[in-house]
Amino acid sequence: MKYELPKLNYAYDALEPFIDAQTMEIHHSKHHQAYTDNFNKALEAHSDLVEMPVEELLSKVNELSVDEKEKNALRNHGGGYYNHKLFWEIMDPANKKDESLIKDVKKEFGSVDSFKEQFSEAAKTLFGSGWAWLARDATGKLQVYGLPNQDSPFQKGHIPIICLDVWEHAYYLKYQNRRPEYIENWWNTLKLI
Ligand code: MN
């Protein structure tokens, strides 16, 4: 098994009241574990891809010469593995800001509030399951957009920086159908900005 479920740097209840402990525990120990296990399974038939860094694999996943079903498994479970890993890392009760990123965000979006507005809008309007992203394109420009399922900015040749999971499993226990309220509260958990 190449990939293991990444450990959290904080307790399941550390993001309360914005994200409840039960949601965190199920999300991490069940959902993320399943993506990790299924990613390992999808890699079993592809010893050449096991050695490839996950970032590179995700950037090339749509061009791989494997059959559609295997490609879908690698994209969905590899994406699920990576996206959740990043999600846990950018949330932290210690809440350390990244001044250099804040400077770039202000330059690109005018203000932190304007960035937050655009990002929240992408998260709110994403139809069905997926993630909102802040990513850097190949020229270094920051971009905000939503992607469906477990798709990754790496597939567009971008570097992901901030992500927000808007699959119902990420918020339904506490927020039910109130996705906008989850998004609004989630900003309190984000370090970096
Ligand atoms: Mn999730």
Side-chain angles (χ1 to χ4, degrees):
M1 291 295 151
K2 174 168 184 186
Y3 293 99
E4 283 179 16
L5 181 67
K7 289 201 166 54
L8 298 186
N9 291 322
Y10 42 83
Y12 285 135
D13 65 358
L15 306 177
E16 294 261 14
F18 312 113
I19 303 180
D20 59 292
Q22 193 186 11
T23 296
M24 283 299 292
E25 181 168 3
I26 296 170
H27 201 173
H28 178 254
S29 70
K30 306 292 184 198
H31 290 275
H32 197 186
Q33 182 73 63
Y35 287 116
T36 306
D37 293 345
N38 288 323
F39 186 30
N40 282 321
K41 261 183 221 147
L43 286 167
E44 271 171 14
H46 301 283
S47 52
D48 52 323
L49 298 177
V50 171
E51 298 310 315
M52 196 182 275
V54 60
E55 294 86 350
E56 187 184 346
L57 194 157
L58 292 174
S59 71
K60 293 178 174 168
V61 72
N62 290 322
E63 288 78 45
L64 292 175
S65 47
V66 299
D67 75 40
E68 262 334 277
K69 200 178 155 203
E70 292 180 337
K71 193 179 288 189
N72 290 340
L74 290 166
R75 185 178 58 241
N76 292 333
H77 302 302
Y81 165 78
Y82 183 91
N83 297 346
H84 288 91
K85 182 173 182 292
L86 180 64
F87 191 46
W88 312 136
E89 284 169 4
I90 61 167
M91 296 188 290
D92 199 323
N95 216 23
K96 291 189 198 80
K97 305 296 180 199
D98 181 337
E99 294 304 331
S100 154
L101 179 61
I102 290 172
K103 204 174 135 202
D104 286 357
V105 159
K106 283 180 179 163
K107 201 173 137 202
E108 192 58 50
F109 301 96
S111 67
V112 167
D113 283 349
S114 163
F115 155 68
K116 285 186 173 178
E117 217 170 281
Q118 283 188 45
F119 188 96
S120 292
E121 193 59 22
K124 279 179 209 166
T125 56
L126 187 92
F127 184 76
S129 298
W131 296 71
W133 292 96
L134 173 71
R136 244 180 237 285
D137 71 14
T139 69
K141 189 174 144 68
L142 292 173
Q143 294 195 23
V144 163
Y145 47 83
L147 291 177
N149 306 314
Q150 297 295 347
D151 285 4
S152 163
F154 285 121
Q155 289 164 231
K156 297 156 67 79
H158 296 178
I159 310 287
I161 300 169
I162 291 175
C163 56
L164 172 56
D165 192 341
V166 292
W167 283 60
E168 283 187 345
H169 69 228
Y171 63 87
Y172 207 83
L173 285 178
K174 183 177 170 75
Y175 295 98
Q176 293 86 49
N177 61 324
R178 304 187 308 277
R179 188 195 281 188
E181 193 182 324
Y182 158 66
I183 295 166
E184 202 52 48
N185 282 343
W186 171 78
W187 288 108
N188 294 295
T189 71
L190 178 68
K191 59 180 189 181
L192 305 180
I193 288 190

